[in-house]
Amino acid sequence: MMFWYDHGVSGWGWFAMSVGMVLFWALIITAVVLLLRAVNSPHEHTHTLATPPPTPEDILRERLARGEIDEEEYRRRLSTLHSDPLAKG
């Protein structure tokens, strides 16, 4: 019986060891679950890099299709986009 009460471990010591063990295993299990989720989750941000951003011509075509600008303004803006900015000087 002397073994159980050796080194002056009281009831609070046993309680602290029990709580510490439960917290230790909860931490280990949480780390494993988070690691498995990170490894198995699809990487969505890689798909967005595959599509190039729209060009200015694409934006103009979309605005014409939505009716925000008419055909005359579309052609004027398109010619402005295709003109040489250094020639105007």
Side-chain angles (χ1 to χ4, degrees):
M1 280 312 272
M2 195 170 165
F3 175 74
W4 292 101
Y5 297 103
D6 199 17
H7 302 295
V9 177
S10 65
W12 287 109
W14 289 107
F15 176 75
M17 283 192 296
S18 300
V19 169
M21 186 57 69
V22 168
L23 290 176
F24 170 77
W25 283 110
L27 180 68
I28 296 295
I29 292 169
T30 302
V32 168
V33 168
L34 290 176
L35 181 67
L36 289 175
R37 281 186 181 179
V39 169
N40 292 332
S41 68
H43 300 288
E44 297 172 5
H45 63 277
T46 58
H47 299 295
T48 57
L49 296 176
T51 58
T55 63
E57 290 87 1
D58 293 337
I59 295 171
L60 271 177
R61 269 188 242 114
E62 289 174 12
R63 289 186 67 194
L64 178 66
R66 286 193 299 252
E68 293 176 8
I69 58 175
D70 59 355
E71 189 175 344
E72 180 183 334
E73 187 174 355
Y74 169 77
R75 292 189 189 281
R76 183 174 51 83
R77 290 177 183 237
L78 190 62
S79 66
T80 304
L81 281 175
H82 290 268
S83 69
D84 188 13
L86 298 177
K88 293 183 179 183

